Amino acid sequence: MESAKACRILVLVSGSGSNLQAVIDSCDDHLLGEVVGVISSKPTAYGLTRAHQHEIDTSCVIARTKESRSDYDARLKCAIDKYQPDLIVLAGFMRILTDELVNHYLGKMVNIHPSLLPKYTGLNTHQRAIDAGDNEHGASVHFVIPELDAGPVILQAKVPVYDGDNVEELAQRVHEQEHAIYPLVVKWFSQGRLKMESNQCYLDGQALGPNGYAAD
């Protein structure tokens, strides 16, 4: 019997690419997917180096002076389509995407956000959790929709917030969980188990709750 075709995974980065590395390592562990390309918004992003170390093709789409978001995203779309991805993984890609681009890839684009969504959309999530006196914080993997950080949650991981925590300590705790849950979501998608329909996540045909998958 012919083996199933590997899911073509494209990862978008702007920085160190630690979540990219976690996905690459999972692909090496029979993920049923293959990272076919990495696109960066910054030519100095270490994520590009990680890709080169694994002989993965890379592209840079760098914003031009006074370029509109729509013009940038038109160029980004051309770069994305070159790889013919089945799944687009946002891994620290520091751009707010236009509605037109997001809708074009709706159901094929996922993101990881460093908070327990719907709490703390946007930036500075770790400091905001500390300032609020939260006793738990975490990360959420979600499908991308036009509204920022508002797509249906697929999976979350929680970490404790300790008295005296600073941003760096809390961020490190969250990053460790990100590296565990993001590859798992990519695996589910690559296996054909995960999909989004009408702004609702389904895993193995079962609708997920507002906080995503919950183990029994």
Side-chain angles (χ1 to χ4, degrees):
M1 179 181 296
E2 185 178 350
S3 60
K5 179 184 174 185
C7 178
R8 295 178 61 83
I9 301 164
L10 176 66
V11 184
L12 274 57
V13 302
S14 295
S16 69
S18 62
N19 275 307
L20 163 65
Q21 188 66 58
V23 172
I24 290 172
D25 292 345
S26 294
C27 287
D28 290 342
D29 193 26
H30 310 295
L31 183 70
L32 299 183
E34 177 187 5
V35 179
V36 296
V38 172
I39 295 176
S40 175
S41 63
K42 298 180 179 179
T44 57
Y46 187 68
L48 294 171
T49 299
R50 295 182 190 272
H52 295 155
Q53 289 171 345
H54 291 271
E55 300 182 343
I56 296 169
D57 191 72
T58 62
S59 300
C60 278
V61 182
I62 303 166
R64 297 167 178 165
T65 304
K66 297 183 179 180
E67 182 178 34
S68 69
R69 283 176 56 206
S70 60
D71 285 346
Y72 177 90
D73 279 6
R75 294 194 295 116
L76 179 60
K77 180 180 179 296
C78 290
I80 290 172
D81 288 346
K82 180 181 75 171
Y83 295 102
Q84 299 181 317
D86 300 306
L87 176 65
I88 301 166
V89 175
L90 303 184
F93 189 66
M94 300 304 291
R95 296 279 309 186
I96 296 177
L97 303 175
T98 58
D99 292 2
E100 182 180 8
L101 185 74
V102 170
N103 283 323
H104 184 75
Y105 300 110
L106 201 64
K108 295 176 58 177
M109 183 181 289
V110 293
N111 182 46
I112 192 160
H113 184 73
S115 80
L116 298 174
L117 292 172
K119 269 192 169 184
Y120 310 132
T121 61
L123 302 175
N124 304 317
T125 61
H126 308 310
Q127 186 64 61
R128 289 157 69 189
I130 292 171
D131 291 346
D134 292 350
N135 59 18
E136 66 178 13
H137 187 45
S140 306
V141 183
H142 63 94
F143 278 106
V144 178
I145 65 171
E147 187 178 351
L148 182 66
D149 298 329
V153 172
I154 304 163
L155 184 62
Q156 292 184 326
K158 297 179 180 179
V159 301
V161 182
Y162 298 121
D163 290 342
D165 261 346
N166 60 38
V167 168
E168 291 75 19
E169 291 166 338
L170 185 54
Q172 178 59 37
R173 213 172 295 133
V174 172
H175 287 158
E176 290 174 0
Q177 293 303 312
E178 288 181 5
H179 301 159
I181 65 173
Y182 215 0
L184 181 56
V185 168
V186 173
K187 179 179 180 179
W188 288 344
F189 191 96
S190 298
Q191 293 173 330
R193 299 172 57 195
L194 175 68
K195 64 181 179 179
M196 183 184 80
E197 291 183 352
S198 302
N199 208 36
Q200 171 69 58
C201 292
Y202 294 87
L203 180 64
D204 297 330
Q206 299 296 313
L208 300 183
N211 299 319
Y213 175 78
D216 294 332

